[in-house]
Amino acid sequence: MASVQCSHINKDFGQHHILKDISLDIKSGEFLVLVGPSGCGKSTLLRTIAGLESPTQGDVLIDGKSVVHLQPRQRGLSMVFQNYALYPHLSVHQNLGFGLNLQGLPQVEINSRVKEVAELLQIQHLLDRRPKDLSGGQRQRVAVGRALVRKTDLILFDEPLSNLDAALRSQMRFEIKKLHQITGSTIIYVTHDQVEATTLGDRIAVLNQGVLEQIATPCQIYSYPNNRFVASFIGTPEINFLPGKFFGRPEAEVGIRPEAICAKEDGQLEAVVEMQEYLGSHYLIHARINGFALRFISEHCIPEGNNRQIKLKVDMAKLHFFDKATGARIS
Amino acid sequence: MKKLKLIVSLIILTFFSLFALFPIGYIFAVSFKNNNSFQLSSFQIWTDSSSFDNYIKLFTETQFPTWLINSLVVSTSVTLFGITLAAFAAYALSRFPLRGGPTFLLVLLSTQMLPATMLLLPFYLLLSKFGLANHYLGLLIIYSSTALPFCIWQLKAWFDSIPKSLEEAAQVDGSTRLQAFFKVILPISGPALAVTSLFQFMTAWSEYAIAAIILQDSELFTLPVGLKSFQASLATEWGLYAAAAVLVSIPAVLLFTLLSKALISGLTMGSVKG
Ligand SMILES: Nc1ncnc2c1ncn2[C@@H]1O[C@H](COP(=O)(O)OP(=O)(O)O)[C@@H](O)[C@H]1O
Ligand SMILES: [Mg+2]
């Protein structure tokens, strides 16, 4: 098991300041998800930890030892790349064994480790194939296998599921979570998909334009977002923002999760229903209050009539207040 | 209408094919004749009076075997030396953000604009100064260096098309940068290396002007220079000349055939992804 610390990491590419003073503490055995919109610097941070980029400033420590001056191969970690990066000239077996070969392990040992991992990932029947003869999902498994087979204490994932279709993605998500429980390795997992983040992570680090906005458990992030950005980025359907004047807090902006709103006769807000989306188990209702858009979830379809005027009740305990200017949370 | 188009294109194609093939047939025919004349009485390649005498004479009575070996040695060393230099240079230019890298690449290309014949005299003077005139090493240096810019460009384009994550994966897996180059990048660069090597080899194999100036000793001649010397004697030995010409083209044809598969994939290089 390995713990990872990033301390005051800054990274510039030419004129562009990509990572801005990022400090992170990842516990041994933890599954940490780095999430944020595309282009925010997630991969850069991950690659800095891997040693594929060096920070302009700051330090990376693995198990308490600074590794910024070490090559990737000396850091004792493995990595799954977004485009899988399988060696095209090698068979699946050789792909898996590549790192073990470099370590100089005896062939018998290599074969048994490869076999073990292949069984774990159910790719035993693919061992003789070349990467070009595999489907996307199979390549993905091989890429994960190549990282697992070296039994490193730290495994890095860079958007490993983004090239898969939805069904495969949710299955692999489940399997990666299971693999974490089996191996117990520390995992740092990069994604732009907040569903992946909340389902996989022990903790989530939300990154925005190179700034670490918040790091906390999925539940804490969802219930107590640090600022407006985190509140809007985590959670589907997205949180609603209304001017504070509706709640007597003109200095603030109010965030209301869709599930904190329901249609009730004795509701305190008047709204007009614009559209209803049927989502199987529930409806997503699009409404307006004095021209401000509001989405909420309802188990039932809102009946037509009354010009679609309805009354909404808001769970006041679940409101989030954010400073209008800075976006920071006001408690 | 369609038929007319077909006929017209057939005629045109036939004409140009004949135009391309005629000299080759002619050379074959002359090489089988014994009277050392360049005139043919008929367009038959093989007649009753034809024989392999010229070929036999070439190997027994001339320095052809020596020249053949000379040419093979020179061309092979140029290829090995050049491809090694080009591969490392191209990889560095493709992967490392060198200061002035793009400018360097342009300068490299601009050296290709001067025809080698223009540089004959300076080359010769330079080599004489270093005592490398009438020496293979001089030829090796000139051939490799004149072919190098093109080879670097070609290989760089190939390396550019290989995703960097391949080497990064290898590095994370435990290899050094150099190991990643040898174990991952080179093995998947077969087609590009084949095209570039062939170019290097053919340049050296068929080059005449520079070799003619640098090599004065007939023991050291490469094939093109040797062949020309058949003409220099009082009466040109056309039969020998033709037979030698046929033999000289054999390695080229062989190489093209052997590498044809790699060549085809190499010529569409940019579209191949690792
Ligand atoms: N090697 C590089 N050179 C210059 N800019 C880069 C380089 N790598 C990444 N960037 C820039 O850094 C920013 C963050 O990139 P990245 O970390 O890949 O984002 P993410 O993975 O979150 O989508 C992007 O704007 C990208 O253009
Ligand atoms: Mg990325």
Side-chain angles (χ1 to χ4, degrees), chain A residues 197-224:
Chain A
T198 48
T199 52
L200 281 173
D202 295 331
R203 282 194 303 160
I204 303 177
V206 183
L207 220 59
N208 181 32
Q209 300 187 343
V211 174
L212 178 61
E213 301 279 6
Q214 185 169 9
I215 173 165
T217 64
C219 181
Q220 281 169 329
I221 292 231
Y222 191 78
S223 316
Y224 305 101

Side-chain angles (χ1 to χ4, degrees), chain A residues 17-251:
Chain A
H17 197 181
I18 302 296
L19 297 179
K20 296 164 190 159
D21 200 42
I22 291 185
S23 294
L24 268 181
D25 225 326
I26 302 158
K27 295 188 211 65
S28 179
E30 185 172 15
F31 197 129
L32 181 94
V33 177
L34 273 176
V35 70
S38 124
C40 71
K42 306 177 297 287
S43 297
T44 306
L45 181 57
L46 195 74
R47 292 164 55 79
T48 306
I49 294 170
L52 297 168
E53 305 280 358
S54 52
T56 311
Q57 263 173 37
D59 203 356
V60 178
L61 296 99
I62 297 181
D63 279 335
K65 283 191 283 282
S66 170
V67 295
V68 274
H69 298 296
L70 296 184
Q71 294 295 313
R73 66 174 193 283
Q74 298 163 318
R75 297 192 180 194
L77 47 82
S78 50
M79 180 160 172
V80 178
F81 290 80
Q82 183 167 11
N83 64 357
Y84 314 141
L86 300 177
Y87 311 125
H89 60 301
L90 300 179
S91 68
V92 169
H93 190 289
Q94 291 166 319
N95 262 280
L96 295 176
F98 188 85
L100 303 178
N101 244 320
L102 285 166
Q103 285 174 25
L105 293 186
Q107 195 60 44
V108 190
E109 163 97 22
I110 295 177
N111 289 344
S112 85
R113 295 255 294 256
V114 167
K115 200 163 147 258
E116 185 189 347
V117 164
E119 271 166 23
L120 189 65
L121 290 163
Q122 289 148 24
I123 48 174
Q124 310 95 306
H125 58 296
L126 304 174
L127 286 177
D128 294 327
R129 294 208 201 158
R130 292 283 173 90
K132 69 170 169 20
D133 301 321
L134 301 177
S135 70
Q138 291 169 333
R139 283 178 204 184
Q140 221 284 320
R141 281 167 187 274
V142 176
V144 173
R146 193 174 60 183
L148 289 184
V149 78
R150 286 175 45 230
K151 299 192 175 171
T152 52
D153 294 336
L154 173 61
I155 308 179
L156 312 178
F157 288 86
D158 192 354
E159 310 221 15
L161 307 184
S162 63
N163 292 335
L164 301 183
D165 59 54
L168 215 51
R169 206 180 312 159
S170 72
Q171 190 195 339
M172 278 312 289
R173 201 166 68 206
F174 170 71
E175 293 196 23
I176 288 176
K177 186 81 184 164
K178 239 178 28 186
L179 289 173
H180 176 237
Q181 284 158 7
I182 294 171
T183 63
S185 303
T186 309
I187 289 183
I188 307 178
Y189 185 105
V190 162
T191 179
H192 67 268
D193 179 350
Q194 47 108 359
V195 178
E196 254 173 56
T198 48
T199 52
L200 281 173
D202 295 331
R203 282 194 303 160
I204 303 177
V206 183
L207 220 59
N208 181 32
Q209 300 187 343
V211 174
L212 178 61
E213 301 279 6
Q214 185 169 9
I215 173 165
T217 64
C219 181
Q220 281 169 329
I221 292 231
Y222 191 78
S223 316
Y224 305 101
N226 254 353
N227 55 41
R228 196 183 187 281
F229 173 80
V230 175
S232 71
F233 192 74
I234 302 290
T236 42
E238 208 180 299
I239 194 168
N240 300 289
F241 289 104
L242 286 180
K245 60 179 187 201
F246 290 105
F247 302 90
R249 299 278 299 267
E251 87 288 1

